[in-house]
Amino acid sequence: MSSLADELLADLEDLSGGEDNYDDNEEQAQDAEQPVASGSSTTGVKRKASGSDDEMSDVEGGEGGEEEENAIGTLVLEGGVKPAEELDAEEVQRMELGKVDDVRKVAKLDGSKRMNDILKEIEKYQANPSTPEQMAMPTHSNPEYNLIVQANNLSVDVDNEIMVVHKFIRDHYAPKFPELEQLVTDPQMYIRSVRALANSEDPTKVNLQGILPPAIIMSVLVTATTTSGQQLPDAEWKAVQRACDLADRLEEARKKIFMYVSSRMNILAPNLSAIVGTTTAAKLLGVAGGLSGIAKMPACNVHLLGAQKKIAAGFSTITQKKHTGFIFQSEIVQQTPPEYRMKVQRTVGAKCALAARMDLERQRRDGSYGQQLREKIEKHIDRLAAPPPSKIVKALPIPNDGPKKRRGGKRARKAKEAYAQTELRKLQNRMAFGEPEEEVGAFDQTKGLGMIGTGKVRANVGEAKSRAKLSKANKLRIAALTKAAQSGTATSGTATSLTVTPVQGFELTNRAAAAQRVKEANERWFSNGTFSFVGQKGTNTKK
């Protein structure tokens, strides 16, 4: 028989299991309802390039890879579209494409239905652009807005294809000129150089003017004289030519998409585009669900749009920064010194929220407000990167340049008097010549008395420089008080009018009146200061 506690625990376990199942079902429903504009599974982070058989076998063989992929994602708001995933450049460098005989096996985007449909829609809207009233419509009812997001995602896929095609050309052209890869690092320059050098026996006779900078041309020609490369077979060179043609077509499509997105974003969100650029602005609108999504969200969260939820193992160090999204990848943040990029991206995110609210209200359509915000951001970056102010070395004062100015006032005088040397201490420090000094103390501790007891101790008198200066009115007031005290006219506070006499005892008298009578009599009889006395007491003075 189970107790009540056991039954309660069993009920709680059943409830928790039901909640877990409900969460799983809800997540699956959300994943199924999430719109995907690119037509392929996208995660918004730089993914590993799938080119080796080992990686394909690992994915097919176990479920751990699927769980790892499902754990990776980006911050996408409700109504937003997941951005296209970017290939990791380091993973592309590790790919071995030298054994692939046709570039179409690794680059399948060119000529696909998705790419053709998007390019046709772009041509349609370029021929008949939407009116400003149509661009002012909400994002869910604006068909061109969805095309902008899809075109922006397609441009990312085109960049990925160009990266893979560039790797294919390098691997197949390396036997002919292996040093060219280190001399020309730019993908487009490398492809144009390969097309110009071709499969000629003497590369030094090829004219590379207008294709490469003069300094690089000199390096290529000098290296070509000592290269160990051999001429390619015809089949190999034709494969390289097809790859170069494919790279040119992809580059044209990328420029076409970029020009379209830039022109439409400058109309849809001019102020936002002025801060982070049209490409980043299109990515932000895609994941946020339009301008209203960015305008309504807190400014402190804008820089997290497109941030990775989990970092996959094996990715490059560039993708391993947490709490960074599309704003971190923008030009204004990447041009900032690395130690200040995390601070700057938060500032840029806050300004993007302000710009999006201005664009949502359809005000300042010329992008001037966004330019003002960008200037403020640049000033903020300059303040962060500015060196600290140099420490001023103060020159030493001139010797014997007179007394220093000290702080005066009652408080300063009190402080000086509190720590001043007393007259008693001065007498203790003096010693009489030729006389032994008296000492006082107990046990083994004694103190010398110096000249204490042999002279008078004067009252402490402050220094004349530290004495308070009296005003003329205070001096007159003190002089009047002193004169009144010396004249005797002032009556003491302890004076009394009672007098004790032997006849009447206590008698009430006016002492001031009596003193005045005595004074008048003295002035009358003794005003000259002399007097005479004739005769002696008790004798007859008659003659």
Side-chain angles (χ1 to χ4, degrees):
M1 181 177 180
S2 62
S3 62
L4 181 61
D6 296 336
E7 294 178 358
L8 181 60
L9 290 176
D11 293 339
L12 291 176
E13 289 178 356
D14 294 339
L15 289 175
S16 62
E19 291 177 356
D20 294 340
N21 296 333
Y22 175 74
D23 294 339
D24 295 340
N25 296 333
E26 185 178 1
E27 291 178 358
Q28 293 176 1
Q30 291 179 354
D31 294 340
E33 294 175 359
Q34 184 68 39
V36 179
S38 61
S40 59
S41 60
T42 57
T43 58
V45 296
K46 292 189 176 182
R47 57 181 171 85
K48 293 184 178 181
S50 57
S52 60
D53 297 337
D54 297 336
E55 293 176 353
M56 297 297 293
S57 61
D58 292 340
V59 174
E60 294 175 357
E63 297 179 356
E66 296 178 358
E67 294 178 357
E68 182 71 16
E69 290 179 358
N70 293 333
I72 304 170
T74 57
L75 178 61
V76 181
L77 300 183
E78 183 179 357
V81 179
K82 286 185 178 181
E85 55 187 3
E86 300 179 11
L87 285 179
D88 188 9
E90 293 185 1
E91 292 295 328
V92 174
Q93 296 298 325
R94 298 191 190 100
M95 293 172 60
E96 294 293 338
L97 302 179
K99 298 180 181 180
V100 181
D101 55 353
D102 191 3
V103 70
R104 285 289 183 178
K105 294 182 179 179
V106 293
K108 302 178 181 179
L109 182 63
D110 182 56
S112 62
K113 183 178 182 300
R114 169 175 167 247
M115 183 174 179
N116 293 334
D117 293 343
I118 293 177
L119 292 178
K120 287 180 181 179
E121 290 292 325
I122 290 175
E123 293 176 357
K124 171 185 173 182
Y125 280 105
Q126 284 179 342
N128 299 313
S130 300
T131 61
E133 291 77 11
Q134 292 176 343
M135 295 299 297
M137 295 173 59
T139 55
H140 62 274
S141 58
N142 187 357
E144 191 171 4
Y145 168 75
N146 296 327
L147 177 62
I148 292 173
V149 176
Q150 294 178 9
N152 196 61
N153 290 338
L154 180 62
S155 66
V156 177
D157 293 336
V158 169
D159 290 337
N160 295 339
E161 292 282 299
I162 293 175
M163 194 184 305
V164 174
V165 172
H166 176 232
K167 175 62 176 174
F168 178 88
I169 296 173
R170 282 190 301 167
D171 290 351
H172 284 262
Y173 198 72
K176 176 68 176 65
F177 199 164
E179 295 86 2
L180 185 62
E181 180 179 346
Q182 284 77 27
L183 297 176
V184 184
T185 57
D186 183 71
Q188 294 301 323
M189 285 187 180
Y190 183 86
I191 294 173
R192 290 197 299 267
S193 301
V194 170
R195 187 184 294 276
L197 293 172
N199 199 20
S200 59
E201 297 180 359
D202 190 2
T204 58
K205 297 180 181 180
V206 178
N207 185 13
L208 297 175
Q209 296 293 333
I211 299 176
L212 298 176
I216 300 180
I217 291 176
M218 183 177 295
S219 302
V220 170
L221 295 180
V222 171
T223 309
T225 58
T226 59
T227 183
S228 58
Q230 302 294 329
Q231 195 169 4
L232 297 176
D234 293 339
E236 192 78 9
W237 170 240
K238 289 181 180 180
V240 173
Q241 281 184 322
R242 289 192 297 270
C244 292
D245 295 338
L246 176 61
D248 292 340
R249 292 194 299 271
L250 291 174
E251 181 64 20
E252 291 178 2
R254 190 187 69 83
K255 290 181 180 179
K256 187 175 183 180
I257 295 171
F258 177 76
M259 294 298 295
Y260 170 74
V261 172
S262 300
S263 61
R264 305 319 290 167
M265 285 302 299
N266 288 329
I267 299 175
L268 183 64
N271 295 298
L272 181 61
S273 301
I275 298 177
V276 294
T278 55
T279 303
T280 305
K283 292 180 180 179
L284 292 175
L285 294 185
V287 298
L291 283 172
S292 60
I294 301 179
K296 293 177 182 178
M297 70 185 304
C300 59
N301 295 338
V302 176
H303 70 277
L304 296 176
L305 290 175
Q308 301 175 10
K309 293 181 181 178
K310 183 177 179 182
I311 305 300
F315 282 6
S316 63
T317 56
I318 299 177
T319 63
Q320 292 180 0
K321 279 189 173 295
K322 295 182 179 180
H323 311 298
T324 58
F326 293 135
I327 290 180
F328 189 82
Q329 303 169 8
S330 62
E331 180 184 1
I332 188 172
V333 177
Q334 291 300 318
Q335 291 177 352
T336 308
E339 60 269 21
Y340 304 118
R341 287 178 183 173
M342 299 298 290
K343 289 184 178 180
V344 172
Q345 75 158 351
R346 289 191 289 269
T347 303
V348 174
K351 300 301 182 185
C352 286
L354 297 177
R357 292 163 189 170
M358 185 66 70
D359 292 332
L360 187 64
E361 294 295 328
R362 302 298 167 185
Q363 298 180 3
R364 308 282 289 273
R365 303 299 298 165
D366 56 349
S368 59
Y369 183 70
Q371 289 293 340
Q372 294 177 4
L373 295 179
R374 186 181 177 93
E375 291 176 0
K376 291 181 180 180
I377 295 171
E378 292 174 351
K379 290 181 180 178
H380 177 63
I381 296 173
D382 293 340
R383 285 196 299 269
L384 289 177
S390 58
K391 189 176 181 181
I392 301 175
V393 180
K394 191 174 181 180
L396 295 175
I398 302 174
N400 301 327
D401 197 21
K404 295 182 180 179
K405 293 182 180 181
R406 302 293 184 181
R407 185 182 184 277
K410 184 177 180 181
R411 186 181 300 176
R413 290 194 299 274
K414 290 289 185 182
K416 290 179 181 179
E417 292 173 2
Y419 295 99
Q421 192 176 32
T422 62
E423 294 295 329
L424 194 64
R425 176 66 68 180
K426 291 179 182 179
L427 289 176
Q428 183 188 8
N429 293 338
R430 297 192 184 104
M431 292 184 64
F433 181 75
E435 296 181 4
E437 181 185 21
E438 294 185 10
E439 296 181 352
V440 294
F443 306 105
D444 57 342
Q445 296 182 355
T446 58
K447 286 283 188 180
L449 296 180
M451 295 185 66
I452 296 178
T454 59
K456 295 182 179 179
V457 179
R458 293 176 294 178
N460 288 335
V461 181
E463 297 181 2
K465 292 186 296 183
S466 63
R467 290 179 186 173
K469 295 180 181 180
L470 298 177
S471 62
K472 186 176 181 180
N474 286 337
K475 290 180 179 179
L476 294 175
R477 179 173 174 271
I478 293 175
L481 291 175
T482 305
K483 184 177 180 180
Q486 292 176 355
S487 64
T489 57
T491 304
S492 174
T494 59
T496 180
S497 300
L498 296 177
T499 305
V500 181
T501 61
V503 179
Q504 297 180 353
F506 287 100
E507 182 181 357
L508 183 61
T509 60
N510 189 351
R511 289 180 177 272
Q516 184 66 21
R517 289 196 299 271
V518 171
K519 183 179 180 182
E520 291 177 355
N522 289 335
E523 290 179 354
R524 179 182 179 185
W525 300 106
F526 307 105
S527 61
N528 295 329
T530 59
F531 66 93
S532 61
F533 179 77
V534 180
Q536 295 182 357
K537 187 178 181 180
T539 62
N540 190 5
T541 57
K542 294 182 180 180
K543 292 182 181 180

